[in-house]
CSV table of all heavy atoms in Angstrom, one decimal:
chain,number,residue,atom,x,y,z
A,10,LEU,N,49.2,79.6,281.2
A,10,LEU,CA,48.5,78.5,280.8
A,10,LEU,C,49.4,77.5,280.0
A,10,LEU,O,49.3,76.3,280.1
A,10,LEU,CB,47.3,78.9,279.9
A,10,LEU,CG,46.2,79.6,280.6
A,10,LEU,CD1,45.2,80.1,279.6
A,10,LEU,CD2,45.5,78.8,281.6
A,117,GLY,N,60.7,87.7,283.6
A,117,GLY,CA,61.5,88.6,284.4
A,117,GLY,C,62.0,89.8,283.6
A,117,GLY,O,62.0,90.9,284.0
A,145,PRO,N,47.8,65.1,287.7
A,145,PRO,CA,47.4,63.8,288.4
A,145,PRO,C,45.9,63.6,288.4
A,145,PRO,O,45.5,62.4,288.3
A,145,PRO,CB,48.0,64.1,289.8
A,145,PRO,CG,49.1,65.1,289.6
A,145,PRO,CD,48.6,66.0,288.6
A,369,ILE,N,65.3,70.7,314.5
A,369,ILE,CA,66.6,71.0,314.0
A,369,ILE,C,66.5,71.9,312.7
A,369,ILE,O,67.2,73.0,312.6
A,369,ILE,CB,67.5,69.8,313.7
A,369,ILE,CG1,67.9,69.1,315.0
A,369,ILE,CG2,68.7,70.1,312.8
A,369,ILE,CD1,68.7,67.8,314.8
Side-chain angles (χ1 to χ4, degrees):
L10 293 175
I369 287 177

